[in-house]
Amino acid sequence: QPATELSYADDDTSSNSEESSSPSSSAMDTYQVEIDVQLDPQTSGTIIVEVMPSWAPLASARFKELVELGFYNDARFIRVLPGFVAQFGIASDPALNKEWLLCEKGCRALVDEPRKESNKRGTLSFATSGKNTRQTQVFINLGNNGGAPNFLDGQGFVPFARVVSGMDDTVKKLNSEYGMMESVSGGLAGSVNQGKAAYYGKEYLTTLFPKLSYIKTAKII
C-alpha cells in the first residue's frame, strides 16, 4: 500500500547489494546518537536514539557510518504521517545523494537481515522498497506498526534502534503539514517528491516545503 512505500528505490537490487560481512567489533557495541532538530523557526528540540547492533548489525553499522559522515546534518523530515512514521535520510547536499542514492542501481544497498524486534512506537528502521534496498533513509515509528493496520513487520522493515529521549517533546511535534496527500491509487502518500529531493537537495526542499522540520546535527555521544 502507498503508506508503506518508504523509499523510491527500484524493487530488486540484490545483485548489486553490499556484502553482508560482519561489522567491526567497535560497530557492534550499543551506542547513542544525539539528533538536534529545528522543529520550526522558533522551536528546537533534541532526540536521543539508542542503536542496538544486537537487533540488526548491518543497519546499525550503516547508521553509524552515515552519522559520522555528517550525512544527516541539515536533512529534512520529508515525510511525517501522524500515528504512522516520521521519515528522514535524504541529504541536503546533492553531491552526497549522488554518491549514496542516485548512483548505479543498487549501489550502497544493504542486504536484508532478519528482524528481531517489532516496529513498535519509538523504534527506527531503514526504509526499503523491496529485497535488499536499504540505503540511507530511516523512519521513526510513531505508532505500533508491526501488526494491523500497517503490518510493517511482515514487509521487511527491520528495527535497529529506539528513541530513548525526545519522543513526546520533539518527535511528536515534527511538522506534518506536507506529509499527506491522496495518491492516485488510493490511500495516503508523501507530498515531497523524493527523487527531486535527492537530485536538487536543500534547494528543492526549502523552496517548495519551507516549513519542514529538519535535523541540525546528528552526532554520536
Side-chain angles (χ1 to χ4, degrees):
Q1 297 179 1
T4 60
E5 291 172 1
L6 299 174
S7 87
Y8 59 87
D10 294 316
D11 285 343
D12 188 355
T13 58
S14 56
S15 62
N16 296 298
S17 300
E18 293 187 355
E19 295 297 325
S20 57
S21 57
S22 298
S24 65
S25 58
S26 60
M28 295 296 289
D29 295 331
T30 299
Y31 63 92
Q32 290 190 339
V33 175
E34 180 181 85
I35 302 174
D36 289 326
V37 178
Q38 195 69 43
L39 294 165
D40 58 52
Q42 292 77 39
T43 312
S44 59
T46 300
I47 305 166
I48 304 296
V49 170
E50 185 176 45
V51 181
M52 309 291 292
S54 61
W55 293 2
L58 296 178
S60 299
R62 167 60 58 85
F63 192 65
K64 184 176 185 179
E65 179 182 12
L66 291 169
V67 169
E68 292 179 334
L69 180 65
F71 187 92
Y72 296 122
N73 294 345
D74 209 27
R76 270 55 187 167
F77 284 89
I78 59 168
R79 186 170 182 243
V80 180
L81 304 178
F84 184 32
V85 298
Q87 184 173 336
F88 64 94
I90 296 178
S92 64
D93 183 354
L96 282 174
N97 293 324
K98 184 177 181 180
E99 178 183 353
W100 286 85
L101 291 170
L102 301 177
C103 41
E104 181 182 354
K105 179 181 178 182
C107 79
R108 307 285 190 173
L110 292 176
V111 296
D112 294 337
E113 54 191 327
R115 180 184 55 78
K116 297 181 180 179
E117 294 291 329
S118 179
N119 283 275
K120 57 188 176 183
R121 184 178 184 270
T123 58
L124 284 74
S125 296
F126 272 89
T128 176
S129 62
K131 184 179 179 182
N132 300 332
T133 56
R134 296 179 300 170
Q135 289 176 296
T136 65
Q137 290 203 59
V138 172
F139 62 91
I140 303 171
N141 282 294
L142 304 183
N144 294 321
N145 294 320
N150 296 308
F151 299 103
L152 296 192
D153 284 357
Q155 297 183 53
F157 299 108
V158 178
F160 68 92
R162 59 190 176 191
V163 174
V164 295
S165 177
M167 192 68 190
D168 290 323
D169 57 10
T170 300
V171 176
K172 194 173 181 179
K173 297 178 181 178
L174 294 170
N175 189 305
S176 63
E177 67 181 276
Y178 304 118
M180 292 183 169
M181 68 176 184
E182 285 294 329
S183 67
V184 174
S185 59
L188 296 169
S191 299
V192 173
N193 183 304
Q194 295 183 29
K196 289 182 178 179
Y199 188 83
Y200 295 106
K202 184 177 179 179
E203 179 184 4
Y204 165 76
L205 292 168
T206 57
T207 300
L208 280 90
F209 308 97
K211 296 181 181 180
L212 286 173
S213 300
Y214 65 92
I215 296 171
K216 294 189 289 185
T217 59
K219 61 183 179 181
I220 296 173
I221 55 174

